[in-house]
Amino acid sequence: MLKPQQITNWIMWNPQHLCEDEERQLGEVLTQCPELTAVRGHVHAFARMVCDLGGDRLPAWTDAVHADDLPALHAFADGLRRDHQAVIAGVGVHLNVALARFS
């Protein structure tokens, strides 16, 4: 039986860092839960934006998050919108360090 923390880890990790069995198990979970599939897509898009220093893509990312029914992610996106200038300024420095394991 998979634990929620393991699934969360797999969603947060760079897909290239998953072994074949982990990717298979995650795929099975994602086929059962479209919301988790959407979360994974948003998490990866956010990580790519940060790794690419693409803060200019933040408004499109927050819009995409709000297009899905994911209240917890909405709260995160709303916080980013409130502090938009600080996030844009920090996207290349602080968040890049925090997401170093993703790349």
Side-chain angles (χ1 to χ4, degrees), residues 20-59:
E20 187 176 310
D21 189 51
E22 292 168 335
E23 186 63 44
R24 180 190 56 75
Q25 289 180 74
L26 178 59
E28 290 172 2
V29 169
L30 295 179
T31 61
Q32 300 297 316
C33 186
E35 292 85 358
L36 280 180
T37 301
V39 166
R40 186 182 197 205
H42 293 306
V43 165
H44 289 196
F46 184 81
R48 186 54 37 217
M49 178 178 56
V50 171
C51 291
D52 293 346
L53 306 179
D56 59 315
R57 298 190 309 255
L58 184 61

Side-chain angles (χ1 to χ4, degrees), residues 4-5 10 12-13 15 20 28 44 47 55-56 60-61 84 88 93 97-98:
Q5 183 61 48
W10 290 340
M12 298 297 293
W13 290 343
E20 187 176 310
E28 290 172 2
H44 289 196
D56 59 315
W61 183 84
H84 183 79
I88 296 300
V93 181
V97 171

